[in-house]
Amino acid sequence: MNKSESIKELCTALNKFQMEVNNPKNTEKNNFFQSKYAPLDVVINTVKPALTKHGLAVFQNVSGNGESITVTTMITHISGEWIESEPLTLNNSDSKGVSLAQAAGISITYARRYQLSAMLGISSEDDTDGNNHYQQDKSKQDIPVDLQGDIISEAQAKRLYAIAKNKTKEAKEIMLKYGYTESKQIKKTDYNKIVEEIEKVVNA
C-alpha cells in the first residue's frame, strides 16, 4: 500500500467513519452461488455521507488493455494525507459468450466494489468462505467419493455465471435438462456442453 508521509489525521477520520457506518445491504442475489451482495452503487451511497462528514474522499482509477483491467483505489483526507491500494488486475480475455467490453465492465464493477469495501473495512457480500465450502460438501454427499474430483471447479462455475448473467432463467433450464439444479453439481464431462448451449441462447 502506498501512503503519504503522515496518515495520522486520516487514520483518526477513518476510525470515526468506521464507528458510525453500517455495512451496505446485500440487495442483489448471485443465483449460481445462492449468496447475496451489495452492488457498487449501494456501497457508494451507503458510505459517501459518512466519508464526507469526516473529511474523506475516494478516488478510483481504472486502466486496461482490452484483455485485462486494473483498478487502484485512493482515500484522501482534507489534511492532504492519503493512502492508495496496490493495483488489482483482473483478466477478462476468457469470457466466452460476452464481448470484451461487457467482460471489462463486469470486471471493473467487481474490482471497484471489492477494493472499496476492503479499504474502508466494510463488508459488501455474504461471508461465504465457510458456508460455500459446507454447501459444496453437502451437494456432493450423494456423489461417490471417487467421482467427486469430476465436479467443475469454483472458477469454472464463476465463468458459467458470467456467461449466463443476463439469461439466468434459461441457463437454469439448460442445467436442469442435464440433471443439475446448481452449478456446483456440474460434472466436467457435461460442462462444455452446458456452456455451448447457454452461449447459443446468449448470442441468439
Side-chain angles (χ1 to χ4, degrees):
M1 179 180 290
N2 301 313
K3 61 184 181 66
S4 57
E5 185 174 351
S6 171
I7 57 172
K8 182 179 179 180
E9 292 188 54
L10 185 148
C11 288
T12 299
L14 274 177
N15 181 62
K16 293 179 180 178
F17 162 83
Q18 291 180 346
M19 286 178 65
E20 68 177 58
V21 74
N22 295 316
N23 288 329
K25 293 182 179 180
N26 297 338
T27 57
E28 295 293 319
K29 185 176 182 180
N30 182 325
N31 291 312
F32 275 90
F33 297 110
Q34 301 302 310
S35 61
K36 290 186 176 181
Y37 66 95
L40 179 61
D41 63 321
V42 172
V43 175
I44 292 174
N45 289 337
T46 299
V47 302
K48 192 172 182 179
L51 287 171
T52 303
K53 177 181 177 180
H54 298 292
L56 298 165
V58 173
F59 300 91
Q60 293 187 292
N61 182 60
V62 178
S63 60
N65 58 9
E67 294 187 351
S68 65
I69 65 95
T70 298
V71 172
T72 56
T73 300
M74 176 182 286
I75 300 176
T76 65
H77 185 252
I78 55 174
S79 64
E81 296 176 350
W82 57 272
I83 55 175
E84 183 181 41
S85 69
E86 294 295 331
L88 174 60
T89 300
L90 298 179
N91 192 323
N92 47 267
S93 60
D94 188 30
S95 300
K96 293 184 178 180
V98 297
S99 67
L100 280 179
Q102 290 173 314
I106 293 170
S107 296
I108 289 169
T109 300
Y110 174 81
R112 288 185 61 197
R113 178 175 65 86
Y114 181 87
Q115 267 200 349
L116 180 59
S117 300
M119 292 281 284
L120 295 177
I122 61 174
S123 174
S124 60
E125 58 190 319
D126 289 345
D127 183 2
T128 57
D129 286 344
N131 187 50
N132 274 352
H133 178 70
Y134 168 77
Q135 292 292 344
Q136 188 174 33
D137 286 347
K138 185 177 179 181
S139 70
K140 292 182 179 181
Q141 285 179 358
D142 297 328
I143 302 174
V145 174
D146 60 339
L147 294 180
Q148 289 184 10
D150 293 334
I151 305 301
I152 63 173
S153 66
E154 184 176 350
Q156 288 175 306
K158 286 184 177 180
R159 174 173 171 256
L160 185 61
Y161 170 69
I163 294 172
K165 186 174 182 181
N166 296 321
K167 296 287 184 178
T168 300
K169 181 180 178 181
E170 293 86 346
K172 284 192 171 184
E173 291 175 351
I174 292 171
M175 287 167 52
L176 192 60
K177 185 174 76 172
Y178 285 84
Y180 304 113
T181 57
E182 295 183 24
S183 60
K184 291 175 288 187
Q185 301 169 339
I186 297 175
K187 293 182 181 180
K188 294 176 181 177
T189 52
D190 293 325
Y191 179 70
N192 287 333
K193 291 180 286 186
I194 291 173
V195 168
E196 287 178 6
E197 289 201 34
I198 294 176
E199 285 179 336
K200 288 180 181 178
V201 172
V202 172
N203 295 323

